[in-house]
Amino acid sequence: MSQKYDYAKIEAKWQKYWEEHNTFHADNDYSKPKFYALVEFPYPSGQGLHIGHPRPYTAMDIVARKRRLEGYNVLFPMGWDAFGLPTENFAIKNKIHPALVTEKNVAHFKEQLKAIGLSFDWDREVNTTDPNYFKWTQWIFLQLFKHGLAYKKEMAVNWCTSCKVVLANEEVVGGCCERCGGEVVRKVKSQWMLKITEYAQKLIDDLAEVDYFDRIKTTQINWIGRSEGAEVDFETTTGDTLTVYTTRPDTLFGATYMVIAPEHPMIGKWADQLTNMDEIRAYQEKAAKKSDFDRTEMNKDKTGVKLEGVKAVNPVNGQEIPIFISDYVLMSYGTGAIMAVPAHDERDWEFAKVFGIPMVEVVAGGNIEEAAFTDCATGVMVNSGFLTGLSVEDAKVKIKDWLEETGKGHRKVNFKLRDWVFSRQRYWGEPIPLVNCEKCGWVAIPEEELPLTLPEVESYMPTDNGESPLSTLESFINTTCPCCGGPAKRETDTMPQWAGSSWYFLRYCDPHNDKELASKEALNYWMPVDWYNGGMEHTTLHLLYSRFWNKFLYDIGAVTTKEPYMKRTSHGMILGENGEKMSKSRGNVINPDDIIRQYGADTLRMYEMFVGDFEKAAPWSTNSIKGCKRFLDRVWALQDMLTNGDAYRPELESAFHKTIRKVSEDIESLKFNTAIAAMMALVNDIYVTGSINRAELRTLTVLLNPFAPHLTEEIYEANGFGGVLNEQKWPVYDEALCVDETVEIVVQICGKVKTKLNVPAGAAQADVLAQAKADPKIAALLEGKQLIKEIYVQNKLVNFVVK
RNA sequence: GCGCCUGUGGUGGAAUUGGCAGACACGUUGGAUUUAGGUUCCAAUGUCGCAAGAUAUGCAGGUUCAAGUCCUGUCAGGCGCACCA
């Protein structure tokens, strides 16, 4: 052997072999047990692959390769989430069609992914910008529309002044655009909305049926934000009704004023009766200019204006109470109006202090002069009419019953989750397949006309008034109504990037189907995804959206499972060498092409898995990667020490069984770093013996194969183990052989280690204690002391407690 | 402010139900091989100490025969949410 480990040659050879033999193609052979491993498909940016991409891809590649060796029919697909702003912006700047930009970027990404030796089934590649794909994205939208889950709404939206695009709430981070960091302002626009709120309860409930990391579940539950309370109707002196939502109806006797959102519609209605309308208008204008972020920024100083001329009546005691407008009440949550109980709500307390409003204590136990008493678990009701003397919990039930009996209110569940703003005034997205007819209103285009493709336009720039570039194209806009045949205009907005990624996992099951999004047979066999790994940052966006779409499609019978993903895990980021996030501006970017050239793909894979806890962020280290290269060099060099032998040698037998067990278990629990450490330790043990036999080398190559597929295939073939490695069986271990024959027992005196003994595994307590006491060093230390206690832990330690 | 998570050598990180802290690497030091650099191999490597030994998991307490692990308090860092009534 004695040849150098020529990774470049070996990797090119096996990548070619896999491609030519279509090795990783997932058959639609429905008789075999299946395993569907999924990684988030990338956005093919112009910069090419980031060094962070291979981390989750390699991890799931390891799982997929292990499953194949275990006899599963494995679906491990890849595709491109290719609509989106960076491509469009590049197209605008360079006056080139975004489809061409996308094509070029995809080709580059694909080449880079193949160079890592990932076992994707490239026959099932999907691309969200391919009309054969987005035909079905549009089809799904039409079903949502037909089922009343898509609707158009005039609303204040988040507008990124830099991208010139509407953002979903989820895309606004700290008052700035998630993508470009530009300023986000409020703007009133007519938008397509998807009623994700209709599925809020199911999205919470069905988390019980899936295996996600706890923090992923918690984040989703918090984001959906369910709360239980009541809606209460307050009469006003104008004869109107003002409905509020509250989670504390038990404190109704303590409501001393009301607050409504500055944009509350009642204000317009009461304009004639309000004597301080100028002041109110000024406050409304000030509030309208602020984004949601600005409104939350100033949460310390409560501001507001009292409505002079209108009062509300507390339904429990008939008391007239003032109404204020204040921007601490949001129109978008609940009813846009609250009953304020300053004694038992911090915000109301602060507001009442500013405006000198009286407080009424209705739950005993706090000091309302100092602070609002909000701890509801322990309190007893006071000053509360028929609720007085009850516990808070009982009072909640009683008041809700009372509200429902008297018709003054009712139980109500609310969610923080808002409906999904689905329109984008952009070119590079799926056109929304609807037309607007003067007579018939919004009408779906016939399904047989799908896909509705993007027309060629002069400029991809949004117009100055924020409309889509498509809005300037008369030939696209003007059409006929599918319903009445009269003149109609097409919707010119496109879908957000989230659309295509909300169902791609379904398309992988049957990617070339032109009759339906995927056949029932294929879905029935492959779905749900058995293991989905992706970024933590997608927990409230992509994960929620795609679960929503899948649930809707399930309800209309288009898919076969209620939940799309059985198991969801998340990986940590790869940081720069300085521990900061990698970015061009910080100058700490590592290019995967360079690493592969210098060390090889197998080393890159090993290092990305060895770098640290898979779930945590880890800084890149150019020094540490050498350790992985060294390990693979050592594995390669084992071939020079090869001897015959068809069984593990006795001195290594236990080590082999233990390592197989460790690697098998660690892969399942994402502990790739310790799996690799175990293999390194095994190789070190082998080196100590000075040789390796054929049985041992064969097992080692299979075990290491998911991590370093090229190197192991080459060793396997070069030594004539028979067949190709990827068609072999995952090694098995014998639990009985994982146990050592003798164990080292620690002997402590008063918890301090004094000596160690070698005893047979499972030795009897009495024997071990006797042997410990007989040890000269221990005997000397016990001499003249009173033995109070003897602790014995099987196969672990002995502890003598003395006085 | 609220919620969740994390604090272990010079560095990345390991440590079943509480049971030898520092696996596995990186780096460093010394040695061997080499004309030299690189590679490879051997040895050492938490801290203090010649040694015996002592001491050590952010800090301060507590429970226990025994604590990185459990409890209380506290500090630092990270993530999420952020006036959600």
Side-chain angles (χ1 to χ4, degrees):
Chain A
M1 189 56 54
S2 290
Q3 283 166 346
K4 208 174 143 272
Y5 165 37
D6 186 349
Y7 56 82
K9 198 172 145 199
I10 292 169
E11 286 168 6
K13 170 184 165 182
W14 287 100
Q15 283 162 18
K16 186 163 168 251
Y17 177 93
W18 294 328
E19 180 144 0
E20 283 173 355
H21 290 77
N22 211 357
T23 303
F24 304 115
H25 177 67
D27 280 327
N28 279 351
D29 173 358
Y30 301 151
S31 66
K32 285 163 85 178
K34 68 96 182 182
F35 189 84
Y36 187 172
L38 184 64
V39 290
E40 288 171 347
F41 61 165
Y43 175 72
S45 74
Q47 284 99 50
L49 208 64
H50 183 271
I51 199 73
H53 281 117
R55 196 183 197 194
Y57 297 167
T58 305
M60 290 311 286
D61 189 50
I62 288 167
V63 172
R65 285 175 179 272
K66 176 169 179 263
R67 285 288 184 281
R68 289 195 196 94
L69 295 174
E70 288 171 334
Y72 288 88
N73 188 17
V74 172
L75 174 54
F76 186 44
M78 186 34 92
W80 316 104
D81 189 14
F83 276 126
L85 276 176
T87 300
E88 184 171 336
N89 289 337
F90 184 89
I92 289 168
K93 203 171 150 199
N94 297 283
K95 302 205 176 350
I96 171 173
H97 197 284
L100 295 174
V101 181
T102 300
E103 198 180 335
K104 195 167 144 269
N105 290 350
V106 162
H108 183 216
F109 255 73
K110 194 167 170 178
E111 192 187 322
Q112 288 184 301
L113 289 179
K114 285 189 172 176
I116 302 171
L118 298 162
S119 63
F120 293 127
D121 178 359
W122 288 106
D123 287 350
R124 293 175 185 258
E125 177 180 353
V126 302
N127 182 330
T128 55
T129 66
D130 177 354
N132 293 321
Y133 180 90
F134 73 66
K135 171 180 178 176
W136 298 104
T137 312
Q138 291 174 328
W139 181 87
I140 295 168
F141 176 83
L142 286 186
Q143 307 315 306
L144 287 160
F145 176 73
K146 288 172 186 172
H147 287 80
L149 291 172
Y151 63 98
K152 199 146 202 189
K153 189 181 169 192
E154 275 289 318
M155 64 174 306
V157 293
N158 306 299
W159 175 260
C160 173
T161 50
S162 163
C163 300
K164 292 187 180 173
V165 71
V166 168
L167 303 176
N169 286 321
E170 289 86 341
E171 291 171 297
V172 183
V173 176
C176 296
C177 172
E178 180 203 43
R179 198 168 276 284
C180 74
E183 190 198 353
V184 175
V185 297
R186 309 291 284 171
K187 192 165 179 168
V188 174
K189 268 198 146 305
S190 178
Q191 300 288 317
W192 283 103
M193 307 285 291
L194 294 186
K195 269 192 206 169
I196 189 171
T197 51
E198 193 112 317
Y199 279 82
Q201 191 64 51
K202 281 187 183 176
L203 287 168
I204 294 175
D205 292 345
D206 293 345
L207 283 175
E209 295 174 22
V210 293
D211 173 22
Y212 294 4
F213 279 175
D214 279 343
R215 60 191 172 124
I216 296 176
K217 283 192 186 182
T218 309
T219 306
Q220 289 219 345
I221 288 168
N222 290 345
W223 188 266
I224 296 168
R226 183 183 197 273
S227 70
E228 273 180 37
E231 282 191 352
V232 182
D233 295 333
F234 282 66
E235 304 289 312
T236 65
T237 52
T238 55
D240 296 301
T241 302
L242 205 49
T243 304
V244 304
Y245 172 73
T246 176
T247 55
R248 296 297 304 276
D250 51 298
T251 61
L252 194 48
F253 284 91
T256 51
Y257 65 99
M258 296 185 77
V259 187
I260 63 176
E263 59 272 44
H264 200 285
M266 275 305 202
I267 296 164
K269 203 182 166 204
W270 292 336
D272 292 346
Q273 283 131 92
L274 294 168
T275 57
N276 61 336
M277 208 49 207
D278 288 347
E279 202 187 346
I280 293 165
R281 288 235 166 82
Y283 189 84
Q284 283 179 315
E285 272 170 38
K286 218 170 88 197
K289 279 195 195 127
K290 292 181 206 162
S291 66
D292 265 354
F293 183 68
D294 291 333
R295 281 171 69 156
T296 62
E297 269 297 83
M298 46 169 312
N299 58 10
K300 284 188 189 79
D301 308 316
K302 292 281 181 288
T303 61
V305 176
K306 187 174 178 179
L307 303 188
E308 303 289 357
V310 180
K311 288 196 155 201
V313 180
N314 188 331
V316 277
N317 55 17
Q319 208 171 54
E320 282 195 6
I321 55 175
I323 305 172
F324 289 79
I325 59 170
S326 173
D327 59 11
Y328 86 85
V329 172
L330 308 174
M331 196 59 223
S332 49
Y333 183 77
T335 61
I338 63 159
M339 64 176 216
V341 185
H344 303 287
D345 182 282
E346 273 171 42
R347 295 149 301 173
D348 298 345
W349 190 89
E350 283 164 19
F351 190 88
K353 281 282 170 193
V354 173
F355 288 86
I357 305 163
M359 301 186 192
V360 177
E361 182 182 51
V362 291
V363 184
N367 179 358
I368 62 163
E369 291 303 315
E370 294 284 312
F373 181 56
T374 55
D375 186 4
C376 71
T378 55
V380 173
M381 306 304 297
V382 293
N383 303 324
S384 291
F386 60 90
L387 298 177
T388 300
L390 295 177
S391 73
V392 167
E393 279 314 302
D394 292 344
K396 277 185 181 172
V397 175
K398 188 157 186 182
I399 188 72
K400 283 176 189 168
D401 288 344
W402 181 85
L403 287 169
E404 285 171 357
E405 282 159 21
T406 57
K408 289 178 179 176
H410 54 89
R411 287 173 166 80
K412 171 85 180 169
V413 170
N414 251 333
F415 297 95
K416 287 188 205 173
L417 185 70
R418 318 274 167 87
D419 279 339
W420 176 5
V421 183
F422 200 68
S423 307
R424 298 296 127 100
Q425 291 68 44
R426 278 285 172 165
Y427 177 78
W428 195 227
E430 302 89 343
I432 291 177
L434 297 175
V435 301
N436 189 255
C437 167
E438 279 172 33
K439 268 194 270 174
C440 313
W442 285 105
V443 180
I445 70 168
E447 285 177 17
E448 55 274 16
E449 283 181 23
L450 297 178
L452 174 61
T453 54
L454 284 163
E456 296 292 326
V457 292
E458 294 275 314
S459 161
Y460 311 112
M461 280 285 272
T463 63
D464 287 336
N465 60 9
E467 291 304 320
S468 157
L470 300 181
S471 66
T472 60
L473 208 68
E474 294 295 324
S475 59
F476 176 75
I477 299 170
N478 293 317
T479 183
T480 52
C481 173
C483 204
C484 69
K489 289 188 187 302
R490 284 193 198 280
E491 173 58 72
T492 58
D493 285 354
T494 53
M495 300 186 198
Q497 199 186 352
W498 307 110
S501 60
S502 290
W503 72 282
Y504 74 116
F505 49 92
L506 299 169
R507 189 62 176 173
Y508 283 141
C509 297
D510 194 10
H512 309 296
N513 194 324
D514 56 3
K515 302 282 187 302
E516 49 196 336
L517 59 88
S519 78
K520 288 289 148 42
E521 292 75 27
L523 290 171
N524 210 28
Y525 177 67
W526 288 115
M527 288 298 290
V529 173
D530 292 282
W531 191 340
Y532 188 20
N533 185 81
M536 203 59 201
E537 69 276 19
H538 289 133
T539 305
T540 50
L541 303 157
H542 162 65
L543 212 55
L544 218 45
Y545 292 153
S546 59
R547 288 182 63 221
F548 161 46
W549 274 32
N550 187 85
K551 284 185 175 303
F552 166 70
L553 291 170
Y554 176 74
D555 286 349
I556 64 166
V559 306
T560 54
T561 60
K562 220 157 76 165
E563 280 289 330
Y565 322 118
M566 279 318 287
K567 176 172 177 167
R568 167 80 182 190
T569 55
S570 281
H571 56 271
M573 248 192 301
I574 300 281
L575 305 171
E577 293 220 55
N578 53 2
E580 290 173 26
K581 202 169 163 175
M582 268 190 208
S583 71
K584 263 192 207 156
S585 57
R586 290 191 180 91
N588 58 356
V589 173
I590 302 285
N591 183 337
D593 294 341
D594 296 341
I595 300 299
I596 290 174
R597 209 173 300 121
Q598 203 176 345
Y599 299 100
D602 281 334
T603 298
L604 173 64
R605 293 169 61 106
M606 291 295 288
Y607 177 64
E608 295 232 0
M609 294 299 99
F610 188 61
V611 67
D613 187 337
F614 182 69
E615 297 170 45
K616 289 195 204 133
W620 182 267
S621 163
T622 301
N623 265 333
S624 299
I625 195 170
K626 289 178 190 160
C628 291
K629 174 66 164 53
R630 216 170 275 168
F631 170 65
L632 294 184
D633 283 337
R634 276 161 71 79
V635 171
W636 179 259
L638 284 171
Q639 296 176 97
D640 293 335
M641 302 161 28
L642 190 59
T643 62
N644 283 322
D646 52 11
Y648 307 133
R649 287 167 290 162
E651 64 268 35
L652 286 175
E653 186 173 50
S654 166
F656 264 93
H657 284 270
K658 277 193 214 163
T659 308
I660 294 167
R661 180 175 65 181
K662 179 82 179 147
V663 173
S664 302
E665 289 174 356
D666 282 358
I667 289 174
E668 299 305 318
S669 49
L670 292 168
K671 291 160 79 177
F672 305 106
N673 52 340
T674 50
I676 291 171
M679 289 189 282
M680 287 174 167
L682 178 66
V683 169
N684 290 344
D685 288 348
I686 293 169
Y687 265 88
V688 169
T689 71
S691 67
I692 185 167
N693 73 26
R694 291 183 59 84
E696 292 162 353
L697 182 61
R698 188 183 183 283
T699 295
L700 182 65
T701 56
V702 183
L703 206 54
L704 184 59
N705 175 256
F707 296 82
H710 313 86
L711 170 94
T712 49
E713 285 283 6
E714 182 66 19
I715 294 177
Y716 193 89
E717 185 195 59
N719 293 284
F721 288 122
V724 284
L725 180 38
N726 71 70
E727 290 168 6
Q728 307 308 310
K729 290 266 170 285
W730 185 248
V732 291
Y733 62 91
D734 183 343
E735 196 71 49
L737 292 172
C738 292
V739 183
D740 291 307
E741 282 177 23
T742 62
V743 291
E744 198 179 53
I745 299 252
V746 173
V747 183
Q748 299 178 330
I749 292 181
C750 290
K752 304 265 182 209
V753 179
K754 294 299 175 189
T755 191
K756 292 165 187 179
L757 301 174
N758 277 307
V759 303
Q765 174 168 355
D767 295 345
V768 177
L769 287 175
Q771 197 183 331
K773 284 177 194 162
D775 183 273
K777 193 172 176 187
I778 298 299
L781 286 162
L782 290 178
E783 184 76 40
K785 296 273 171 61
Q786 188 191 345
L787 191 58
I788 298 170
K789 206 167 178 181
E790 295 176 348
I791 311 283
Y792 174 75
V793 182
Q794 175 100 62
N795 295 343
K796 284 256 162 70
L797 64 70
V798 170
N799 187 11
F800 296 115
V801 185
V802 298
K803 208 159 57 173

